[in-house]
Amino acid sequence: MKKMLLLWYNSAIALSIFERGPFVKHKVILDCDPGHDDAIAILFAARHPEIDLLAITTVAGNQTVEKTARNALKVCSLANIRSVPIAKGMHRPLVRPARHAANIHGESGLDGPTLPEPDIELAPQHGVDLLIELLLKSDGDITLVATGPLTNVAMAMRREPAIIPKIKAISLMGGAANLGNVTPAAEFNIWVDPEAAAIVLACGRPITMSPLEVTHQARATEEVLTRLRAAQRPIATFVCELLAFYGKTYSANFGFSAPPVHDPCAVAAVIDPTLVLTRTIRVEIETTGEWTAGRTVCDVYGKLGKEPNVHVGYALEVERFWDMLIATLVSY
Ligand code: RIB
Ligand code: CA
């Protein structure tokens, strides 16, 4: 009986989500470092009816860029996402050595479920060149969603500054107004490549940042897992297997009872900006501090006297977020 109710509930939500009325599709390029939560962000962006996913570019972050690229191929192959070019990007940060997060995502970067070998191949271009190519030929209507270190995005801006006015907006997962997660001061995506983050935050285009204060509200609780399992759909079940591994590493490293799915928040913020509550403030990136490198310095009280440059998230509409994400995942 409970399973039937859950199926009915998810179906009702799916209908409500997929029939939000007339909408304009958002053209999106997703730059990511899969990574368990990046994988869920890929599935979310590729399937939601209000997103036209133009390309996936991968970057060194959670694992090497070879592994993040391979993981993107595997996830897209499994989910039959075949019309989205996937390009491998930068293999290390602009200045610093590459650093990874095997303690969270495992040696493969997507430990847990056994994924079949991908039957799709990488695009021939470097990820940075694909970003530049698509942005230059666009009408300035592409939103960049970045869920890994910002190395590719920064490199593209430096290599071809003409892309900057062509970027409609940037929605990124990264940073923290308060505690970091890889050091007390810094969140992983920014910590890996602070110089890249500083370049991107200074680009002058509209930026929405979903920091840990937002993404730590997106916990994949038992209720979420039950709703996903109840659908008895292959991709929803795969996501549960991802979350089983990811939940163990988050419990071991942070004592969390349920893992936060960070990256889908940056996708949700594009689909429905009311899902992430933001304040528009100045954000600077610490690039030199011995203990604070990678910190997103969020000038909440305007003490720096500098123009605001980022819409910084401080809260998530948790129930509506999960309704939208679950409805999308169970629709595969
Ligand atoms: O700090 C969390 C972020 O770092 C997420 O994007 C996760 O995938 C890792 O890239
Ligand atoms: Ca990520």
Side-chain angles (χ1 to χ4, degrees):
M1 182 58 182
K2 188 179 175 193
K3 197 174 282 188
M4 290 302 290
L5 272 176
L6 275 170
L7 275 174
W8 170 81
Y9 177 73
N10 279 337
S11 311
I13 291 291
L15 273 175
S16 69
I17 298 290
F18 285 76
E19 291 184 354
R20 280 172 14 111
F23 52 75
V24 175
K25 274 182 175 273
H26 300 276
K27 290 181 178 179
V28 164
I29 298 173
L30 176 60
D31 186 74
C32 55
D33 62 336
H36 291 69
D37 52 334
D38 302 78
I40 299 170
I42 289 172
L43 294 168
F44 192 15
R47 185 74 176 179
H48 196 281
E50 296 180 44
I51 289 193
D52 178 6
L53 186 57
L54 302 180
I56 295 168
T57 51
T58 71
V59 68
N62 285 323
Q63 262 300 347
T64 65
V65 73
E66 287 73 19
K67 290 179 179 178
T68 60
R70 183 165 164 71
N71 291 336
L73 289 174
K74 284 185 168 184
V75 170
C76 289
S77 178
L78 181 78
N80 201 25
I81 301 166
R82 300 181 181 286
S83 61
V84 179
I86 302 168
K88 181 163 65 107
M90 298 296 285
H91 70 289
R92 61 164 289 178
L94 300 183
V95 176
R96 299 164 193 258
R99 293 174 290 185
H100 306 309
N103 62 318
I104 301 292
H105 299 277
E107 274 314 307
S108 73
L110 212 52
D111 279 17
T114 304
L115 278 156
E117 284 303 299
D119 58 10
I120 51 179
E121 296 187 353
L122 287 173
Q125 305 94 323
H126 187 282
V128 171
D129 293 338
L130 184 58
L131 279 167
I132 292 169
E133 179 191 320
L134 292 175
L135 285 166
L136 280 185
K137 72 181 183 184
S138 77
D139 296 331
D141 54 353
I142 295 176
T143 298
L144 292 185
V145 177
T147 65
L150 291 164
T151 314
N152 284 345
V153 179
M155 194 69 185
M157 290 179 175
R158 281 288 189 268
R159 181 175 166 92
E160 183 45 85
I163 67 167
I164 295 175
K166 289 277 198 167
I167 298 169
K168 177 181 178 185
I170 297 171
S171 179
L172 68 92
M173 187 280 137
N178 301 297
L179 272 179
N181 60 359
V182 70
T183 72
E187 177 279 327
F188 180 80
N189 287 339
I190 311 299
W191 174 80
V192 165
D193 199 342
E195 289 73 17
I199 289 168
V200 173
L201 262 58
C203 76
R205 300 308 294 148
I207 298 172
T208 298
M209 180 172 104
S210 294
L212 296 180
E213 285 76 25
V214 166
T215 64
H216 279 174
Q217 295 180 51
R219 304 281 179 103
T221 60
E222 262 316 303
E223 188 228 337
V224 166
L225 295 174
T226 302
R227 287 172 64 184
L228 286 168
R229 285 191 205 103
Q232 297 183 326
R233 302 286 300 167
I235 292 300
T237 303
F238 163 64
V239 168
C240 289
E241 293 167 358
L242 284 177
L243 291 170
F245 176 87
Y246 188 54
K248 287 195 183 87
T249 58
Y250 252 85
S251 171
N253 284 274
F254 296 99
F256 282 20
S257 58
V261 287
H262 305 279
D263 297 333
C265 295
V267 175
V270 175
I271 298 167
D272 181 350
T274 69
L275 289 176
V276 176
L277 282 69
T278 64
R279 54 195 167 192
T280 304
I281 59 174
R282 184 74 186 187
V283 179
E284 297 287 354
I285 305 294
E286 178 57 64
T287 56
T288 60
E290 179 182 357
W291 303 104
T292 56
R295 179 151 191 76
T296 45
V297 181
C298 297
D299 187 14
V300 172
Y301 300 115
K303 295 298 182 187
L304 299 177
K306 300 179 95 175
E307 274 303 299
N309 57 342
V310 184
H311 306 297
V312 177
Y314 60 86
L316 178 71
E317 287 282 345
V318 176
E319 191 176 332
R320 288 199 295 130
F321 166 80
W322 280 115
D323 283 351
M324 180 185 282
L325 178 53
I326 290 170
T328 308
L329 295 173
V330 305
S331 73
Y332 273 93

